[in-house]
Structure formats: structure tokens, C-alpha cells
């Protein structure tokens, strides 16, 4: 998933969005219910770009059939160091249709939940504007 990795590393939210399927499902590391749809997923990714500091991918793992990918990352949220993984599945068109994020340690996940919670009104507004 080289194109997505490059978009994230460049902080290019528009490029990230072009790689999402319309029916993408995003599973957050800190919220129980998954988010369905390109508009909300793109808005969440924009929020993450605003929240994460010193983000970098450190490892990429790919499925031999090419549909499943795992991108291991490190980042900081405030004074908390985070290690995480983006689990991506692409559809037949090569677009991401399943996007699950996991992070550790618990204190980092809690810092992420707080920071993203503070962004969520803006995220919902961006998603409404993009889906209109």
C-alpha cells in the first residue's frame, strides 16, 4: 500500500481520501462502533493528521495476494508516545474498503481518545460538507 503510506507520510489528506472506497469502514482504536463511509473516514484521517506529532511508519507487512496490508507506526500525542498499526484491506479496484487502527500503550490510547474527542465536532462538520 505504497501510495497510502506516501500520502500519510506527506501529510496529504486529499491523496489519502482518493485511496478510500466509497463504502470504506473505519474501526477506531478508541471507539466501539465502526464508522462507515468515505466522508467520515477522510474527516477522521484529517483529524489524526492534526493530532499526531512525529508520525512515521516503521514497518510494512503485505499479504501475498495483495489485498491485506499492515503499516506499523510510531507517533506522539502530547507527551505520550504511541505505537500503532493501520490494518488496511483493499477491494478489487485497489481502494481501501476496510481500515482498522490499533494503538498501544493504554496511556497513549487514552491521550489519543482525548485529543480526537476534542476534534470530533470539526470532524463531523467536515464529513457533512464532503458528503453533501
Amino acid at each position: 500500500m505504497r501510495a497510502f503510506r506516501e500520502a500519510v507520510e506527506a501529510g496529504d489528506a486529499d491523496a489519502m481520501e482518493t485511496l478510500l472506497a466509497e463504502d470504506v469502514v473505519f474501526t477506531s482504536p478508541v471507539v466501539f462502533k465502526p464508522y462507515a463511509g468515505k466522508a467520515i473516514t477522510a474527516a477522521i484521517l484529517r483529524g489524526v493528521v492534526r493530532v499526531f506529532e512525529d508520525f512515521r511508519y516503521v514497518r510494512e507487512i503485505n499479504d501475498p495476494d495483495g489485498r491485506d496490508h499492515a503499516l506499523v507506526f510510531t507517533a506522539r500525542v502530547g507527551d505520550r508516545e504511541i505505537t500503532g498499526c493501520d490494518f488496511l484491506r483493499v477491494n478489487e479496484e485497489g481502494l481501501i474498503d476496510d481500515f482498522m487502527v490499533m494503538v498501544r500503550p493504554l496511556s497513549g490510547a487514552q491521550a489519543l481518545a482525548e485529543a480526537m474527542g476534542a476534534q470530533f465536532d470539526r470532524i463531523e462538520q467536515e464529513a457533512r460538507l464532503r458528503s453533501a
Side-chain angles (χ1 to χ4, degrees):
M1 192 83 262
R2 173 67 51 194
F4 183 77
R5 179 178 180 163
E6 289 173 356
V8 171
E9 289 173 336
D12 188 343
D14 291 334
M16 286 183 250
E17 185 173 357
T18 64
L19 296 167
L20 300 174
E22 289 297 328
D23 62 347
V24 63
V25 174
F26 179 83
T27 304
S28 165
V30 295
V31 178
F32 176 73
K33 181 181 170 224
Y35 297 94
K38 183 175 184 173
I40 189 67
T41 301
I44 289 168
L45 292 176
R46 282 178 164 72
V48 169
V49 167
R50 292 187 295 266
V51 165
F52 277 162
E53 300 173 58
D54 302 327
F55 180 92
R56 67 185 181 95
Y57 283 119
V58 295
R59 187 176 321 141
E60 186 171 342
I61 305 163
N62 295 301
D63 179 16
D65 78 7
R67 293 199 61 208
D68 291 297
H69 308 274
L71 300 171
V72 180
F73 64 85
T74 61
R76 193 169 41 81
V77 177
D79 65 349
R80 300 292 178 191
E81 298 289 328
I82 293 176
T83 300
C85 191
D86 292 337
F87 293 96
L88 310 172
R89 181 166 180 89
V90 296
N91 62 19
E92 294 78 24
E93 290 81 39
L95 298 174
I96 299 166
D97 63 1
D98 187 43
F99 192 133
M100 179 175 61
V101 181
M102 300 181 107
V103 298
R104 64 160 305 280
L106 177 59
S107 62
Q110 290 167 328
L112 178 60
E114 184 178 324
M116 289 299 290
Q119 293 274 321
F120 221 78
D121 287 342
R122 181 175 177 182
I123 289 168
E124 288 178 322
Q125 182 179 21
E126 288 177 5
R128 279 193 298 277
L129 290 173
R130 292 200 174 281
S131 63

